[in-house]
Structure formats: structure tokens, C-alpha cells
Amino acid sequence: MKSSVITFVFVVVFIALNAQEIKPPLLAPIKKEDLKRDVFNLADDHFLGREAGTIDEFRGAVWLVERMKEAGMKPAGEDGTFYQFFDLYMRRIMPNTWLKIGDKKLQLWKDFIPASLSPARLNNKEIVYVGKASPEELQKLELKDKIVAIEANLDGIATNISLFNKRFYYLIEDRYSEVFKEKKVAGVIFIANDLYEDSWDVMIHQTKRGRTGIKDFRNKIIKDVPIFWLHKGELDFIKNNNLALDAEIGVQLFKYPSVNLIGKIEGTDPELKKEYVLFSSHHDHVGVRETVKGDSIINGADDNASMCATVLAIARSFKKQPARRSALFVIHGAEELSMLGSRWHAWNPVVPKESIVCVLNGDLIGRNAIDSAALLGAWGPHRTSDDLVEAALEANEEGPNFKIDKSWDDPNHIEFFFFRSDHAPYARVGIPVLFYTSLLHDEYHTPMDNPDRINYDKLYKMTEWIYRTGWKVANAAKRPKYLEGVKFEK
Ligand SMILES: [Zn+2]
């Protein structure tokens, strides 16, 4: 009798405590009109495409920090601010770069594009024309200290990938890079094919920007082979003459800052508040480039003003109703330069790395069919945590009920999309991650990625899904466990 009374009291107290501590998610502060207003403002022409490593990126960042304050976040960056600065190491071709073939002087950017970023001086090097020879065929030739002239071709290259016209020249160069090194060639000429000729302006925009790294990630001058791209019209000249090449490639290396924006809303549990659910976005985009349909500003409404607006909306809800754990909001810089901001923060987090229980990253979350979306990092081999995936799938059922496209986690998926946004560096340092996205579209990285092209009902549903997942994890008794044996080589 006595013991059953004690049990009864215990059960009542237990239920009361639980009921008090684990509240249902609070959706009211998340409003479609707020999402829409924030996307329209951040993806306005005024910010000129927020290119990483430019003042435009900073202008967008400062604007966002004001919104983070308004949403109720406390600063969690450096020196009591919302900012975490890091240095970009930028390498670019200098205008004193020149090229002479036989007696013909070629003009930088107009007649040739230098595609390597190591300083080089080439004197009277013999040119060997090899047609469309494959890397295997080049293995059989004596090429030491010579210039190999190749007709660019798409043999062995996937053509049905996103941004093909911006990426194919890397792919062509990559296909040959091993053999160039092995055969110790002095340099390479690629003669454009029709496709390259059509993309010449795109390539100039791309190549002039050079290459950017951060400390410990591709910031050193890579000793790569000098590469020159020539117009299709030069083919006969190169093919029919025994020519020598002279050239100088000038490269400048300089530092420029970028910045992560970091705020937090503290949890209510005296112990669990020391742990963080990290909501992740990026504020930079790709700037002003070649004109398409009369517009050259690539506003990045979907990529990634959409998730920036979502982060603000989620913060408004956490402010009204905090969870047991704390929420950390990180809006990364320089994502478009190969996730440099998230690499930096994953390696130098503002809170102890062990205190970050998961990263919920969103990128491109406002497009495509309203009833479907993708969750990456949810299926093998990219899955990092069973608990986290379970929370996200439950959150989907309780909220937006999307049909989930699983195919993008396939390691053989042609886009390797899991490795292309800000959650990836965190996954590599042992933190459970998920990547929410409504996937690519034809207007990705074009001047047509504008706020009026976003489906705000869809964006609301994605926000709800990410918030509900975060709410579950932030209140759960146990943090999500990182699966043993997960390893990312890429
Ligand atoms: Zn993005």
C-alpha cells in the first residue's frame, strides 16, 4: 500500500516535470511574410550578389547581423560580437602575364586564358601537337620539358551535370593532370572546342577570380603545370608548324577577410544548455558575372537567402520558447569558394567542438515541387547518426510530410551533392549532420535566381521541418550519437 502511494506520487511528479520541460514546438513566431521579406531584402540587387571575398559580402553580412539582433539572438562570435573573421588567401593571374608562340604575340584574356596559378617563365619550349590523344596515349610519348598541344575534347567526361559550362574545363584538365606531372611536361596548350568557344566569356569571369584558400587548405602556391587555353581558330597554326613557345605567368597572392556570423539563444536546462544544436546557412553568393537575359547580378535568393531567412525565423521561435539545449546560429561566409567559412568554424568553433550536438544545414530550400524535398546525410554512406535521422523523419511526418528524395545520398550520384555545402566540414570532424535542400534547378547560379522565383509556401514548409527537427534534438534526454566507423575521404 505504502509503496504504491510512493509510486503514484513519483509517477505524477515525473509526468509533471516532463510536461513542464518538454513543450510542443512553437510554430506561431515562424511567419511566411517574414521569410518573404527577408529573402527579398537579402537577395536584392543592392547587395550585388554578395560575392565572397569582396566588400559586397560584408555589406550583406552587416545587414544580416542587424536582423540576428532583432530576432533576439545574443552575440556568439569573437570579442562579444556576432562576427568570426578569417583570412582568405587569394591567388590571381597578374596583368603582366604574356604568351608568344612562334613570332605571334597573343593577348591575355582576348587570345588566351592562363588556367594555372603558379608563377612561371618558359623560354623557347618546343610544342608537340598530339590531337585528341587520351592520357593513356600520352603515356607512350616522350614529352619531357615540352609543351603538349591538345585539342580539348569531352571523352570520358560527364556532360549532364549542373553548371557544366562553368566546370567542364576543370574536368578536362583534371583528366590529364596525372600524366602531365608524370611525363614532366613544361606546359600545356588546350585548343578550344566549340563548347569552350561558346563559354569563353564565362571562363574569363571564372578564371580572373583565381583560386582562394584558407590556412591549412589550399593556401600555398601549388606547383602545377602551366596551362594555356587558345581559341579554336589557332588550331591550324599550331598543328602545321614546328613552333616554340615563350611565356611568363605572373601570379599575385594576397589576403582578404571573410566572416562567419554567429549568434545564440541559450537553453533552459542548467546542464544541457552547455550543449548546442547548430543551425547553419551561408550569406555569400557569386557576385556579378556574364550577362544572361539582360541581367548580370546573381542574387542567390534560393542560394542561400532562403536558408538565411529560415535561420532568422527559427531564432524568433527559440527566443519566444527556448529549448533545454542552446541553439547556435551560424551563417557562414565564403561557402561558394568551397565552404571556406564552415571549414574555418568546424576547425575553430566558438564553443567547444564536443558541445555541438548536431549541425542542421540548409542550402537552396525554396524551389521545386511543393510536396517533395531532399535530406542528405540520411542514408549510407553519408549517414552520421541514426538518432538524428530518426528525429528528422519524425519531424517530417509531424509537419510538412514531404516525399523525401533519397537518391542524392547515393555515393555514385553524379553531383556529389553531399560534399557541396556547409555541413560537410562538420561531418568530417565527427559531428552528426543533416543537409536539407529542395535541390538544384536550371536557374541555380544564374541571374534568374531571384526572390520572385521562390515558392514561399515551400520555404515555410522547409523551415517548419528544420525547426521541428532542431526542437526535438534540443529537448531530447540524450544527444544524437555519431555512428562509429563513419569516414569521409573526400
Ligand atoms: Zn549555397
Side-chain angles (χ1 to χ4, degrees), residues 282 284-285 302-304 335-336 362-364 420-422 435 444-445:
H282 69 87
D284 66 302
H285 198 45
D302 197 27
D303 188 2
N304 197 15
E335 189 271 352
E336 301 289 358
D363 203 350
L364 299 138
R420 286 169 54 187
S421 190
D422 287 319
F435 173 22
Y444 166 66
H445 281 219

Side-chain angles (χ1 to χ4, degrees), residues 194-206:
D194 285 331
L195 180 70
Y196 193 87
E197 217 46 71
D198 290 345
S199 302
W200 194 266
D201 285 346
V202 175
M203 289 296 97
I204 287 175
H205 274 279
Q206 192 97 331

Side-chain angles (χ1 to χ4, degrees), residues 126-330:
E126 183 191 341
I127 297 175
V128 182
Y129 167 76
V130 299
K132 292 180 180 171
S134 68
E136 296 73 34
E137 285 164 332
L138 293 188
Q139 283 291 359
K140 296 173 200 146
L141 304 176
E142 177 51 55
L143 298 171
K144 192 175 174 201
D145 207 32
K146 292 178 179 159
I147 304 289
V148 192
I150 303 172
E151 281 181 59
N153 61 83
L154 297 173
D155 293 345
I157 288 171
T159 55
N160 54 338
I161 53 170
S162 61
L163 306 180
F164 179 70
N165 70 338
K166 294 180 182 172
R167 285 159 71 188
F168 72 92
Y169 79 114
Y170 291 129
L171 300 173
I172 294 175
E173 291 163 11
D174 277 358
R175 183 168 167 248
Y176 289 96
S177 63
E178 277 308 307
V179 69
F180 293 156
K181 264 183 232 160
E182 237 174 84
K183 303 301 281 186
K184 296 192 166 63
V185 304
V188 180
I189 292 171
F190 279 112
I191 302 156
N193 57 14
D194 285 331
L195 180 70
Y196 193 87
E197 217 46 71
D198 290 345
S199 302
W200 194 266
D201 285 346
V202 175
M203 289 296 97
I204 287 175
H205 274 279
Q206 192 97 331
T207 313
K208 276 188 174 174
R209 285 167 157 85
R211 200 179 321 174
T212 304
I214 51 174
K215 193 170 175 287
D216 301 327
F217 179 67
R218 72 178 193 193
N219 65 324
K220 298 188 183 73
I221 296 284
I222 298 167
K223 290 280 169 232
D224 49 9
V225 176
I227 297 176
F228 306 94
W229 281 83
L230 301 187
H231 284 295
K232 193 175 143 191
E234 305 287 359
L235 179 62
D236 286 339
F237 169 60
I238 299 284
K239 199 169 165 178
N240 300 327
N241 298 286
N242 292 322
L243 296 165
L245 176 150
D246 292 84
E248 181 164 12
I249 301 176
V251 176
Q252 62 177 163
L253 173 66
F254 60 98
K255 284 203 289 184
Y256 193 93
S258 181
V259 66
N260 294 326
L261 316 175
I262 311 179
K264 68 178 173 188
I265 291 173
E266 276 171 11
T268 54
D269 184 283
E271 275 310 306
L272 293 180
K273 69 187 282 191
K274 295 173 196 156
E275 296 181 345
Y276 296 87
V277 170
L278 192 160
F279 295 93
S280 154
S281 179
H282 69 87
H283 58 83
D284 66 302
H285 198 45
V286 297
V288 182
R289 302 203 177 202
E290 65 285 350
T291 302
V292 184
K293 297 181 186 164
D295 191 0
S296 59
I297 306 174
I298 309 188
N299 284 318
D302 197 27
D303 188 2
N304 197 15
S306 64
M307 183 63 189
C308 292
T310 288
V311 165
L312 295 172
I314 290 174
R316 287 180 203 113
S317 176
F318 271 83
K319 177 68 184 172
K320 266 260 155 64
Q321 176 179 284
R324 296 166 75 189
R325 289 190 176 79
S326 298
L328 193 66
F329 304 93
V330 185

Side-chain angles (χ1 to χ4, degrees), residues 63-83:
W63 180 87
L64 259 173
V65 163
E66 293 306 308
R67 305 290 85 71
M68 291 165 83
K69 285 181 203 164
E70 284 171 7
M73 294 184 206
K74 281 191 183 163
E78 292 162 348
D79 309 319
T81 75
F82 284 87
Y83 300 99

